[in-house]
Amino acid sequence: MEPFDQPIYVTRPFMPPLEDFCDGLKEIWDNQWLTNEGPVLKRFARQLSNYFETDNVCLFNNGTLALQIGLQGMGISGEVITTPFSFVATTHALYWNKIRPVFVDIEPEYYTLDPEKVEAAITPWTSAILAVHVFGHPCNLHALADIARRHNLKLIYDAAHAFGVTIGGKSIAHFGDMSMFSFHATKLYHSIEGGLLIFPDSGLKQTFDYLKNFGFENETEVVMPGTNAKMNEFQALMGSLVLGHLDSIIEKRRRIEEVYRQRLKEIPGIHLPSPLPVDVRHNHGYMPVEIEEESFGMSRDALYRVLKEYKVFTRRYFYPLICDFSCYRNVAVKDPLTEARRVASRMLMLPIYSDLALDDVHRICEVLGACCRAKVAA
Ligand code: T4K
């Protein structure tokens, strides 16, 4: 089998029509207003308010700072129970707030925090749960809400992967005390870089707005030591345009996932997450598969390397676990993290993005079939 002519990446950003972006650029040029609450950003914030049906939206220049400021603005401190199976920024946001992460295990089905493990890890110092809707899979929302309520903890969702996900028609943003969405270029929905907080307590908005803009109340008054985490006009323009294409982006990805599911069930040793419950509208942001070395005939890491030779650039999200990075090895971890370790050693993200041709998806599946049982040398 021949390698692909062009590299196939794990993802590609959706690019709206260039003419539309140029029209928007013209507006920005005419305005001579590039950042600091410009008109394009204000319009984008209104669009998102409509989309999420709430005024409690706050935009940031990236998801990491959104989460960091969200935690700070909510006054979270002490210990926070979280998952080690995520992008490292989830824990970094705690670190920057001098909060101790308490890593507990995930559930095997959708890779989200295991509520039983969360409850077992609560101490007098616990102030919040920071759960991740990893790969856009909703966490066990009701069990986590119940634990948070009974123990008087804040429930915060890193929803970086979950834009567009709904449960029973309700946006996933409306669960918990705060949700953070990442609008990074690698996400199905993006604003080049960007982040968003959605929260039910309208009292928090002013604090978040201060914190992302140096704490300025007005020209002569600074009310808190904020930072600079503002989204600029170009990001807002991109976000605003991509929002208009969201449904078709999700639909194209859904079709790609359908082909993968159809084709991969023929290949032993490739395990896909179960389809989500029927009331969940997924966003198909990632295509996670677990490689079972014994039945597949090749380890996940060997497959990752072989696929590169075919110019298929998969990613091992999320390996290593966050607690295994050198900067977090000094954090005491009591939970054996059995599932998280198993999953991190087997997980591979296959390419998925709206421009990926279905023929290419079939070809990727053929390559995977050929790799199975080491028909291709690792
Ligand atoms: N929480 C969670 C759970 C997250 O996953 C993330 C971010 C965050 C918090 C923090 O949100 P942000 O502060 O990022 O808004 C990527 C992204 O940089 C990161 O946003 C994302 N999670 C993470 C899962 O993935 P890398 O290091 O894998 O990205 P990179 O640059 O290797 O890109 C992957 C592939 O995408 C490339 O091989 C090619 C393609 N690509 C990428 C870019 C940037 C393009 O085709 N065009 C592009 O412009 O981290």
Side-chain angles (χ1 to χ4, degrees), residues 117-135:
K117 299 293 175 67
V118 170
E119 188 143 29
I122 294 171
T123 73
W125 296 276
T126 310
S127 60
I129 301 164
L130 174 54
V132 180
H133 301 304
V134 68
F135 311 139

Side-chain angles (χ1 to χ4, degrees), residues 268-270 289-308 314 316 319 342-348 350 368 371-378:
I270 298 191
V289 296
E290 288 180 50
I291 306 300
E292 293 162 357
E293 180 171 357
E294 205 169 303
S295 39
F296 186 73
M298 190 186 284
S299 71
R300 184 274 311 269
D301 291 341
L303 177 61
Y304 166 81
R305 287 192 296 272
V306 171
L307 288 173
K308 271 189 183 173
T314 58
R316 289 166 288 186
Y319 165 82
R342 188 187 62 80
V343 169
S345 69
R346 293 159 38 128
M347 190 60 88
L348 196 65
L350 299 180
L368 288 167
C371 293
C372 174
R373 299 203 171 281
K375 285 176 209 135
V376 167

Side-chain angles (χ1 to χ4, degrees), residues 8-13 15 61-67 85-91 132-135 158-161 180-187 192-195 286 313-315 317-318:
I8 304 280
Y9 295 108
V10 69
T11 190
R12 304 300 333 250
M15 303 304 283
N61 58 354
N62 61 59
T64 305
L65 281 171
L67 187 56
F85 186 70
S86 180
F87 189 59
V88 71
T90 309
T91 299
V132 180
H133 301 304
V134 68
F135 311 139
D158 177 336
H161 300 177
M180 179 282 284
F181 295 89
S182 163
F183 295 171
H184 185 262
T186 54
K187 301 290 184 283
I192 308 174
E193 294 251 13
Y286 293 86
F313 296 94
T314 58
R315 295 303 288 265
Y317 299 143
F318 288 100

Side-chain angles (χ1 to χ4, degrees), residues 52-179:
F52 285 105
E53 298 177 336
T54 172
D55 289 337
N56 298 335
V57 303
C58 194
L59 280 162
F60 295 84
N61 58 354
N62 61 59
T64 305
L65 281 171
L67 187 56
Q68 193 180 310
I69 288 176
L71 293 163
Q72 186 181 353
M74 289 176 76
I76 307 296
S77 63
E79 290 179 359
V80 168
I81 300 171
T82 190
T83 169
F85 186 70
S86 180
F87 189 59
V88 71
T90 309
T91 299
H92 284 344
L94 296 172
Y95 176 89
W96 280 85
N97 280 293
K98 299 188 166 51
I99 296 165
R100 200 172 91 75
V102 176
F103 296 111
V104 303
D105 210 354
I106 56 172
E107 293 187 308
E109 200 172 14
Y110 296 120
Y111 321 120
T112 53
L113 264 186
D114 181 339
E116 275 185 28
K117 299 293 175 67
V118 170
E119 188 143 29
I122 294 171
T123 73
W125 296 276
T126 310
S127 60
I129 301 164
L130 174 54
V132 180
H133 301 304
V134 68
F135 311 139
H137 300 162
C139 291
N140 195 331
L141 301 162
H142 299 296
L144 290 178
D146 182 53
I147 294 169
R149 186 185 47 75
R150 283 189 286 106
H151 295 271
N152 197 22
L153 305 176
K154 294 288 181 204
L155 178 54
I156 296 163
Y157 285 114
D158 177 336
H161 300 177
F163 197 87
V165 174
T166 60
I167 299 116
K170 174 173 163 180
S171 168
I172 200 160
H174 298 307
F175 293 84
D177 296 299
M178 184 178 77
S179 296

Side-chain angles (χ1 to χ4, degrees), residues 25-35 38-39 233-234:
L25 285 180
K26 171 84 173 59
E27 182 190 352
I28 294 173
W29 249 248
D30 290 345
N31 292 337
Q32 276 192 286
W33 199 284
L34 305 183
T35 185
E233 293 288 274
F234 300 89

